[in-house]
Amino acid sequence: MGIERTLADRKGRDFCELPKETITNSSKSKKNRRRHKKAPVPPVQTLFETCKDVFVSAAPAVVPPPQDIQNLQSVLDKIKPEDVGLKPDMPYFHTNGSQRRPRITYLHIYECEKFSIGIFCLPPSGVIPLHNHPGMTVLSKILFGTMHIKSYDWVVDFPPETPTTFKPPENGGSEMRLAKVKVDADFIAPCNPSILYPADGGNMHCFTAVTACAVLDVLGPPYSDPDGRHCTYYHNYPFSIFEVEGLSIPEEERCAYEWLQERDDKLEDLEVVGKMYNGPKIVEG
């Protein structure tokens, strides 16, 4: 800025001494510079570049530094539906009478071993059942619409002798594990991106579309079955329906705790289809 001001002062003093052709060439040069001005970087490209920096050392249970998370959150917060080629009137956000349950659409934007970027498109009443994110740091941005989010973290701060798991004899399923409710609320776009971590921040969550909505997700590192990071789904049960010897929680606090049990069914309440992402393309390199 100081250099530009100095040049402007010189031009003011020396204007009468410059030959006519010099003025003309200078004017042409400015026009050429304006003509070759670089196009703005698409926001999704900025998101990609930021993810590369933030998750450069991504590994299970490794959380990026707070400043890096804040930078990524800031970039994600600026992204709008039109930046990723979405409009609320697209077919993804509507249902028809022939569907037993609202179909959810996933738009894959990018994935590598360090991170992934994608968009979940939910019609009204669409549900992504309660699931976990093993060893991951996840940022989610609601691009438009209203979403109900309920999230949990495992209870790990009780005294060592306090039982936080048990196997119910009556249903013959997997063991129950105690979790604390982290969030249980509606979120209306625009709102701040949510962040969950490997051990806190609501690592297990369920999404329910109150209205048609779209959620932009960044996962670092992404799910990987070969690496043991597979997605596990859960049933949730109120704390008070089971009596566990040695476990006591004050009556007024019980609503903040629930029992979670791994699902071993075929998830018939979930239908997710992949579709082509048609927004601005990411340029690697």
Side-chain angles (χ1 to χ4, degrees), residues 12-275:
R13 290 195 304 268
D14 302 337
F15 182 83
C16 61
E17 302 175 10
L18 290 174
K20 190 171 183 179
E21 62 270 22
T22 304
I23 298 172
T24 303
N25 289 340
S26 176
S27 177
K28 286 182 179 179
S29 177
K30 287 180 182 177
K31 288 181 180 178
N32 288 336
R33 284 199 297 271
R34 286 197 296 268
R35 191 178 298 123
H36 293 95
K37 189 176 181 180
K38 286 186 177 181
V41 177
V44 73
Q45 181 71 31
T46 302
L47 176 62
F48 167 72
E49 299 292 345
T50 306
C51 286
K52 281 204 306 183
D53 293 338
V54 170
F55 295 113
V56 65
S57 302
V62 174
V63 178
Q67 184 60 52
D68 287 350
I69 292 292
Q70 186 176 341
N71 290 343
L72 180 53
Q73 185 180 21
S74 177
V75 170
L76 198 60
D77 190 42
K78 293 181 176 69
I79 294 183
K80 300 177 177 60
E82 56 267 28
D83 295 329
V84 288
L86 286 184
K87 295 180 181 178
D89 61 356
M90 286 178 158
Y92 313 139
F93 306 108
H94 300 280
T95 57
N96 59 60
S98 64
Q99 294 176 357
R100 290 193 304 161
R101 56 193 173 273
R103 181 182 297 134
I104 295 164
T105 302
Y106 181 72
L107 307 178
H108 171 80
I109 297 178
Y110 180 83
E111 182 171 339
C112 65
E113 64 178 9
K114 298 291 187 181
F115 64 91
S116 67
I117 305 172
I119 302 170
F120 286 98
C121 304
L122 291 83
S125 301
V127 176
I128 300 178
L130 181 61
H131 62 283
N132 69 346
H133 306 82
M136 303 178 190
T137 299
V138 180
L139 291 89
S140 301
K141 161 77 172 180
I142 302 176
L143 297 171
F144 66 83
T146 301
M147 175 84 77
H148 186 88
I149 300 176
K150 189 170 187 178
S151 66
Y152 306 79
D153 288 318
W154 295 123
V155 171
V156 295
D157 55 354
F158 281 12
E161 66 275 11
T162 302
T164 56
T165 63
F166 78 98
K167 190 171 179 63
E170 59 271 20
N171 69 7
S174 57
E175 72 174 13
M176 300 280 188
R177 185 174 177 184
L178 189 62
K180 187 168 186 178
V181 178
K182 184 75 175 182
V183 172
D184 188 7
D186 288 350
F187 291 83
I188 304 171
C191 56
N192 293 332
S194 63
I195 308 173
L196 61 84
Y197 300 98
D200 60 14
N203 185 274
M204 297 159 289
H205 64 202
C206 171
F207 287 168
T208 303
V210 179
T211 68
C213 52
V215 183
L216 175 58
D217 259 1
V218 174
L219 283 65
Y223 290 108
S224 172
D225 286 343
D227 295 323
R229 294 191 305 279
H230 59 272
C231 185
T232 301
Y233 291 87
Y234 299 90
H235 292 296
N236 61 306
Y237 301 93
F239 173 81
S240 300
I241 71 170
F242 297 106
E243 293 286 342
V244 178
E245 185 177 352
L247 176 60
S248 177
I249 295 177
E251 185 72 31
E252 66 274 12
E253 297 178 17
R254 292 186 176 188
C255 62
Y257 294 88
E258 294 186 10
W259 295 102
L260 304 189
Q261 182 184 43
E262 286 190 25
R263 295 179 61 164
D264 55 9
D265 57 6
K266 296 181 180 180
L267 289 174
E268 293 184 356
D269 57 342
L270 175 64
E271 182 181 3
V272 179
V273 295
K275 294 290 185 180

